[in-house]
Amino acid sequence: MKLPAFNMVNQNGDMITEQDLKDKRTILYFYPRDNTPTCTTQAIDFTEHLAELQGKGIQVFGVNGDTMKKHQNFIMKHNIGFDLLVDEDYQLAKELDIYRLKKVFGKESMGIVRTTLLIGPDLTIEKRIDNVKVKNQLEVLFAE
């Protein structure tokens, strides 16, 4: 499956489209909210492994519906080393069936289900991990 076309701004207001992912491998991960414990752990884990990933020619983008300002604060507070994209109306998350009904602490609501995609240079989704477990996300992503 190909990654659908999209345009989203990053934390600085720069427009990022699927064309910015072309000719590179990309980890595009969707997470519910900035500055929540599990989402923070996940972003820090990617940041700690960023040099290793970049050494393999892989770029990383985080995606959720939070604002540019929230993304800026999250990046500054936790020294996140990559861009966070604003999927304001959850358009891409909906197209990829990542925004859906979920149950948190017994309460059902619509939201992003933590999902990580490995996108190939031709924008093909090479791997998709739904309901990501943050502790071993990279091991699972790169397991054969």
Side-chain angles (χ1 to χ4, degrees):
M1 176 182 171
K2 286 269 194 199
L3 183 68
F6 69 85
N7 7 314
M8 292 182 272
V9 293
N10 69 5
Q11 70 280 354
N12 300 319
D14 300 325
M15 186 61 67
I16 306 292
T17 74
E18 75 285 352
Q19 294 305 309
D20 294 299
L21 280 58
K22 203 168 176 140
D23 301 325
K24 300 175 187 125
R25 291 183 83 205
T26 303
I27 292 173
L28 191 64
Y29 80 96
F30 293 78
Y31 64 104
R33 305 233 12 209
D34 292 343
N35 284 309
T36 57
T38 305
C39 295
T40 300
T41 299
Q42 185 176 27
I44 288 171
D45 186 52
F46 278 125
T47 297
E48 287 173 349
H49 291 92
L50 195 59
E52 175 189 340
L53 292 167
Q54 290 171 336
K56 294 177 181 177
I58 300 171
Q59 61 184 351
V60 176
F61 292 97
V63 182
N64 74 14
D66 285 338
T67 64
M68 286 187 332
K69 185 73 175 152
K70 283 186 179 179
H71 282 345
Q72 288 169 354
N73 292 340
F74 187 46
I75 287 169
M76 287 177 54
K77 183 175 181 182
H78 300 288
N79 295 315
I80 305 304
F82 49 86
D83 284 350
L84 301 177
L85 307 181
V86 179
D87 192 4
E88 196 170 18
D89 55 5
Y90 301 103
Q91 183 179 339
L92 185 58
K94 287 175 182 174
E95 284 186 57
L96 293 167
D97 193 32
I98 291 169
Y99 183 85
R100 56 184 188 249
L101 189 65
K102 60 185 196 170
K103 193 180 265 191
V104 180
F105 303 117
K107 183 180 168 196
E108 286 188 340
S109 64
M110 293 299 290
I112 286 181
V113 175
R114 192 179 310 279
T115 304
T116 300
L117 306 175
L118 181 61
I119 312 294
D122 61 353
L123 302 179
T124 299
I125 298 172
E126 295 179 351
K127 192 158 193 180
R128 175 181 173 138
I129 306 168
D130 290 292
N131 298 307
V132 170
K133 303 292 181 243
V134 173
K135 284 187 178 173
N136 65 346
Q137 64 182 353
L138 289 170
E139 291 167 32
V140 172
L141 190 62
F142 293 108
E144 293 301 319

